[in-house]
Amino acid sequence: MGPSGSLIQKAPRRRRRKLTFDYVSFMAVFLGLPLAIFLIFVISPFAQAVYYSLTDWTGFSPEMNFIGIDNYVKLFQNSTFITSMGNNILLAIIVPLVTLSIALLFATLITVGGPSHGQVRGLGASSFYRVVSFFPYVIPAIVIGILWAQIYTPSGLLNGILTSLGIDSAEGFAWLGDERTAIWATIFVIVWGFVGFYMVLFIAAIKGIPAETFEAVRIDGAGRFRTAISITIPLIRDNIQTAYIYVGIMALDAFVYMAALNPFGGPSNTTLVMSQYLFRTAFTKGQFGQASAMGVVLAVITLLFAAAVFTVNRLTGGKDDGGRS
Amino acid sequence: MNIENVSVNRRNILRGAVAAAVLIPFSTTLASCAAGGGGGGGGGAKGEVSADNPFGLATDTKIDAVVFDGGYGTDYAEFAAKILEKNHEGVTAKVSASTQIGQELQPRFVGGNPPDLVDNSGAGNIGFNTILDQLEDLTDVIDANNLEGDKIRDTLYGGVMEPGTFGDKFAALNYVMTIYGLWYSKSLFDENGWEAPTTWADLKDLGAKAKEQDKYLFLWGKEAATYYQTLAIGSAIKQGGDEVRLALENLEDGCWSKPAVQDVFNAMKEIIDAGYIKPGGSGTQFTQAQSQWSLDQSAILYPSGSWIENEMKDQTKDGFDMVGIPEPSVDGNGKMPAEAIHSEAGEPFIVPSQGKNVAGGKELLRVMLSKESATNFAKEKLAPPIVSGVVPEDGFGSTALVSQTNMLDAAGENVFTFRFVNLYGMNQDQLPIWNSFLDGKMSVGDLTKKLQGLTDNIRNDDSVDKIEVK
């Protein structure tokens, strides 16, 4: 995520600057140093991972042999890895969509969804809702995972509530142990943990839209839903795009939640994610080469995901609608 | 965030290409330096070899030990380290705890500066097939005398060398005897007049009796579903003998279809279908499931290793009187007697050859194997170390420990074990399969096919070093 700044203006032809000490030292500190840190700590480990993924390194000895793309071939013949990749892709599709839809809905209600007389405002007690829905985000992810794992146990709170409501089939039902429900129960937990934060993010963005805009819309006779679709979303488009990429990257990782809810991949590996499988391959099976290959695949998928979000945003007219940068 | 305003044109693409070209040599040099280990280590200073110092530990050296901090903690190793420091002037022995051995020590193994002694245990342990050639052979430790002057080899239980022997190298000294079996509450069984089961038929009858009391025969937790695999394999080996054991150990084609294995699976399936296993285990955290057995007693038997008593110490009902029995055989006419036990020494201690003080690592092991340290371990942990005869009659007041010692004595030489699951890191891949099977969602045929698939994959993967078991 680079700093925002528009590069549309044609720069006039520059004359060569004199290399004064001030100029050079400024460049070195403000350009050279960050670039060096970036190269050393981001680019070079990634390049190393790519290199290791072409070797048969076990991870526990300095010896390694170059074996070309064998690891990748093996990876795509490995049904467990394909399963975990599928799970990740499912998460990347569903989690951002659901999380951000709910966050946007709440944000709208809290900022502009209030009474339709007087000035444009949110629901009553909206500051209370704002604080309460932010709570889950304050709790560390691992704690959220452990908490929900307890709620979901067959003799846990959820089944207790359901059976007291007269749903007898919930008696002793293993939410995280049943192939049909494990991944959905997990998705619910991730969404629950993130909605509050993105709601607050969207509230801040909506607050940045001048109130006159909403008043004008109301005078024109638009309802709340129409306002949200035609005004709010287009005006905070960039925030939504950024949030989408963030949640997507989180969903493609999802390691922490999975480790707490179903450390070993869940029923028939329905909740196994790539990062979990990568970790297992590296540290319990001692196949660092293979694990590096998984890491490279995961990185490529993440980049493709980000590219897809940008593309969709652009195709739906993100550029001309004058999204605020 | 206006990335879309950056025009993609020929010039930018060329710039990118140049940058990439500049990076390639840069990255390869870096890549080669990360894994390229320094030499270092390799024995370190040598001291005078004598009766009190069989490995020639040099004076004024440091010993660096890393011990897995799990069910047994690390204080027993510190206890031995203090004795060692008393015996050797100027030597300091540092014991560090770790819960993730593989993760924490991986960089040290690659960098060529591993610790002098490692307890390679726990879920995050290092697969032996990856570091075998970097380990010292520990035969000289076994052949040395302990601090009391007896030959260490003569003080140990039978079968303690096998789990640490890979090919023809005795690379790991497993310190604690682990006995696998079925564990139950003696007081509960006596109260109801139930007999301890010895065959799968007995188990099924017991299931029916438990049902009458609104109890289940078994229960399980999702992270520990493979305890039932351990039980099944143990039973099958008792029935079919070495033929079954070696087929599984050496990842043979069709090893899961051997009659003995299939008989056990079918017996298990009958028990599952009869509803004698508490449902919902695949969604229950394993310690929670175990407390339903030890505290609520909603199930009457639990298949596990002897660490179970220590693990559930705070969540066991008063007057539970935990005792263990060997894994049942299929019908009582197996190749091994009913007293045969699946036992193996656990907590594998290894001495890396690259360590700075190999003699120190071995010396610390020698101290741990002496009577004083071994007795301290048994007393503190209520588990028998591999040194025999350190547990008194009353087992320090632990019924489980007494029953373990009895099982060991009754079994004599009839002790077996299998290691392929840990050797090839298969447990995590097997867990989902067993969770489904115990849930009643899988037939014996499917179970066999899936387990065989995993075995076949490893057998056919050339990148995995195989260790032949004889």
Side-chain angles (χ1 to χ4, degrees):
Chain A
M1 307 296 141
S4 60
S6 180
L7 301 173
I8 315 175
Q9 295 163 328
K10 272 271 187 290
R13 251 190 108 73
R14 274 188 315 184
R15 281 167 308 160
R16 281 200 68 111
R17 288 194 59 139
K18 272 221 197 73
L19 295 178
T20 59
F21 173 75
D22 277 0
Y23 178 67
V24 172
S25 58
F26 176 83
M27 282 295 184
V29 173
F30 286 87
L31 272 179
L33 195 64
L35 187 68
I37 289 174
F38 181 72
L39 285 177
I40 292 167
F41 291 108
V42 179
I43 299 293
S44 86
F46 187 75
Q48 286 175 48
V50 172
Y51 175 76
Y52 291 141
S53 73
L54 303 172
T55 67
D56 62 355
W57 189 35
T58 62
F60 290 91
S61 77
E63 293 146 31
M64 59 174 89
N65 303 307
F66 189 80
I67 54 168
I69 58 163
D70 277 10
N71 281 327
Y72 293 92
V73 173
K74 222 180 280 175
L75 213 53
F76 286 101
Q77 289 168 344
N78 179 340
S79 60
T80 310
F81 181 73
I82 300 294
T83 308
S84 68
M85 196 157 88
N87 293 337
N88 268 124
I89 290 170
L90 180 76
L91 286 174
I93 291 170
I94 301 217
V95 171
L97 193 69
V98 175
T99 310
L100 299 185
S101 305
I102 298 174
L104 207 58
L105 177 77
F106 285 1
T108 309
L109 287 176
I110 282 175
T111 49
V112 298
S116 43
H117 53 82
Q119 66 176 142
V120 175
R121 60 190 185 275
L123 297 170
S126 61
S127 56
F128 168 75
Y129 298 136
R130 195 182 307 183
V131 173
V132 167
S133 42
F134 197 70
F135 274 158
Y137 188 77
V138 180
I139 308 170
I142 187 75
V143 178
I144 291 180
I146 291 168
L147 196 83
W148 279 96
Q150 297 296 329
I151 293 172
Y152 281 138
T153 54
S155 54
L157 184 67
L158 180 61
N159 287 342
I161 293 170
L162 290 176
T163 44
S164 68
L165 293 174
I167 304 168
D168 290 335
S169 56
E171 177 98 45
F173 185 77
W175 291 94
L176 293 171
D178 192 297
E179 285 172 46
R180 291 161 305 175
T181 54
I183 189 80
W184 302 107
T186 309
I187 287 175
F188 176 82
V189 174
I190 299 176
V191 169
W192 181 86
F194 274 90
V195 158
F197 174 77
Y198 288 99
M199 183 191 84
V200 171
L201 185 84
F202 290 150
I203 289 173
I206 294 172
K207 292 274 186 200
I209 302 170
E212 295 87 346
T213 317
F214 288 112
E215 276 159 19
V217 175
R218 190 192 280 179
I219 290 165
D220 285 348
R224 290 188 190 87
F225 181 73
R226 182 64 200 273
T227 308
I229 296 296
S230 306
I231 304 295
T232 314
I233 293 181
L235 285 177
I236 62 167
R237 177 186 276 280
D238 283 353
N239 300 76
I240 296 176
Q241 173 183 293
T242 310
Y244 215 97
I245 288 173
Y246 273 19
V247 185
I249 289 174
M250 208 298 304
L252 283 168
D253 173 20
F255 184 85
V256 179
Y257 292 95
M258 296 302 175
L261 290 165
N262 255 331
F264 301 116
S268 310
N269 285 327
T270 43
T271 64
L272 183 74
V273 290
M274 279 186 277
S275 48
Q276 267 180 304
Y277 197 49
L278 184 158
F279 194 85
R280 189 191 302 179
T281 308
F283 292 106
T284 51
K285 295 186 182 168
Q287 301 173 335
F288 267 61
Q290 184 81 6
S292 300
M294 290 179 191
V296 172
V297 171
L298 180 56
V300 169
I301 291 178
T302 309
L303 289 173
L304 286 176
F305 173 83
V309 174
F310 278 124
T311 313
V312 168
N313 187 29
R314 187 179 268 215
L315 288 178
T316 52
K319 215 172 158 188
D320 343 314
D321 270 7
R324 295 166 307 103
S325 49
Chain B
M1 278 310 309
N2 259 352
I3 290 191
E4 64 265 22
N5 284 337
V6 178
S7 58
V8 177
N9 57 21
R10 200 167 34 109
R11 189 176 304 172
N12 275 339
I13 289 176
L14 280 176
R15 270 191 203 134
V18 170
V22 168
L23 272 177
I24 287 165
F26 177 65
S27 63
T28 44
T29 46
L30 263 173
S32 55
C33 80
K46 272 296 198 193
E48 198 69 29
V49 176
S50 67
D52 296 336
N53 191 4
F55 312 114
L57 169 62
T59 48
D60 300 320
T61 49
K62 285 193 176 62
I63 302 173
D64 178 12
V66 177
V67 176
F68 172 68
D69 190 1
Y72 300 120
T74 61
D75 46 344
Y76 66 97
E78 278 159 24
F79 182 88
K82 285 204 180 68
I83 297 177
L84 185 144
E85 287 177 349
K86 237 185 358 238
N87 293 347
H88 292 272
E89 207 58 40
V91 174
T92 47
K94 185 166 123 276
V95 175
S96 332
S98 165
T99 52
Q100 290 288 346
I101 293 285
Q103 235 178 301
E104 283 184 33
L105 296 186
Q106 184 261 336
R108 294 186 63 179
F109 271 95
V110 174
N113 62 338
D116 308 312
L117 181 68
V118 180
D119 170 18
N120 184 22
S121 179
N125 63 351
I126 308 170
F128 270 99
N129 60 347
T130 58
I131 49 168
L132 193 55
D133 54 355
Q134 301 181 58
L135 302 179
E136 284 288 298
D137 191 303
L138 298 175
T139 314
D140 53 350
V141 177
I142 297 285
D143 288 332
N145 288 347
N146 63 13
L147 298 185
E148 290 80 22
D150 303 319
K151 194 172 182 184
I152 290 176
R153 192 187 283 273
D154 304 335
T155 65
L156 305 180
Y157 277 113
V160 299
M161 303 275 287
E162 281 82 3
T165 308
F166 302 94
D168 48 10
K169 188 178 195 178
F170 178 55
L173 198 142
N174 291 274
Y175 188 64
V176 188
M177 289 307 279
T178 301
I179 300 164
Y180 294 87
L182 293 170
W183 304 85
Y184 63 91
S185 158
K186 184 138 178 53
S187 55
L188 180 73
F189 271 53
D190 289 348
E191 199 177 302
N192 290 293
W194 294 331
E195 290 286 318
T198 52
T199 65
W200 280 93
D202 294 349
L203 274 170
K204 208 175 160 191
D205 296 344
L206 196 56
K209 288 177 183 153
K211 223 18 184 204
E212 287 163 21
Q213 307 276 349
D214 280 334
K215 290 185 189 298
Y216 292 99
L217 179 67
F218 285 129
L219 48 68
W220 89 100
K222 62 185 172 189
E223 296 92 344
T226 41
Y227 288 6
Y228 286 82
Q229 174 179 271
T230 309
L231 168 67
I233 296 174
S235 268
I237 291 175
K238 276 175 98 157
Q239 183 71 21
D242 274 354
E243 180 211 351
V244 174
R245 184 175 66 89
L246 294 173
L248 289 165
E249 287 282 72
N250 294 317
L251 311 171
E252 278 171 24
D253 194 14
C255 56
W256 294 96
S257 304
K258 295 256 177 216
V261 181
Q262 289 295 307
D263 286 348
V264 177
F265 284 176
N266 285 319
M268 256 188 189
K269 183 70 183 162
E270 277 177 33
I271 286 174
I272 294 168
D273 288 345
Y276 296 158
I277 297 196
K278 191 181 163 112
S282 54
T284 312
Q285 211 253 334
F286 81 107
T287 45
Q288 209 171 3
Q290 287 170 185
S291 74
Q292 290 167 358
W293 159 78
S294 62
L295 201 61
D296 316 340
Q297 301 198 317
S298 57
I300 58 171
L301 284 169
Y302 191 65
S304 176
S306 44
W307 62 79
I308 187 80
E309 181 191 29
N310 206 28
E311 186 168 58
M312 301 311 290
K313 203 167 15 186
D314 303 335
Q315 294 176 44
T316 304
K317 198 175 153 185
D318 286 336
F320 189 85
D321 290 347
M322 194 183 296
V323 292
I325 44 169
E327 289 159 338
S329 55
V330 177
D331 53 13
N333 319 322
K335 294 223 170 122
M336 292 187 182
E339 292 78 35
I341 50 170
H342 169 203
S343 159
E344 68 175 32
E347 301 299 309
F349 279 82
I350 53 179
V351 177
S353 308
Q354 293 267 318
K356 291 199 173 38
N357 195 350
V358 171
K362 288 182 175 175
E363 180 67 19
L364 187 53
L365 265 183
R366 187 174 81 98
V367 176
M368 283 170 62
L369 291 166
S370 300
K371 211 160 184 95
E372 189 183 356
S373 299
T375 310
N376 169 67
F377 180 87
K379 188 168 163 225
E380 295 293 322
K381 308 296 165 198
L382 299 179
I386 56 174
V387 180
S388 61
V390 297
V391 177
E393 279 297 304
D394 69 340
F396 306 109
S398 152
T399 47
L401 185 53
V402 172
S403 76
Q404 286 173 56
T405 335
N406 292 344
M407 277 195 273
L408 279 168
D409 294 342
E413 287 302 301
N414 291 310
V415 175
F416 66 90
T417 185
F418 55 88
R419 291 177 295 158
F420 70 103
V421 176
N422 287 342
L423 216 49
Y424 303 107
M426 295 167 85
N427 184 44
Q428 296 191 4
D429 289 335
Q430 289 164 336
L431 275 167
I433 302 172
W434 279 91
N435 271 310
S436 298
F437 181 66
L438 293 171
D439 254 336
K441 294 199 180 72
M442 207 185 263
S443 66
V444 172
D446 283 348
L447 174 75
T448 310
K449 203 173 83 202
K450 291 206 159 155
L451 293 172
Q452 191 66 54
L454 281 179
T455 301
D456 294 349
N457 278 349
I458 296 175
R459 186 182 62 245
N460 300 328
D461 186 343
D462 299 335
S463 71
V464 178
D465 293 336
K466 313 291 187 300
I467 292 171
E468 199 196 338
V469 179
K470 296 184 187 73

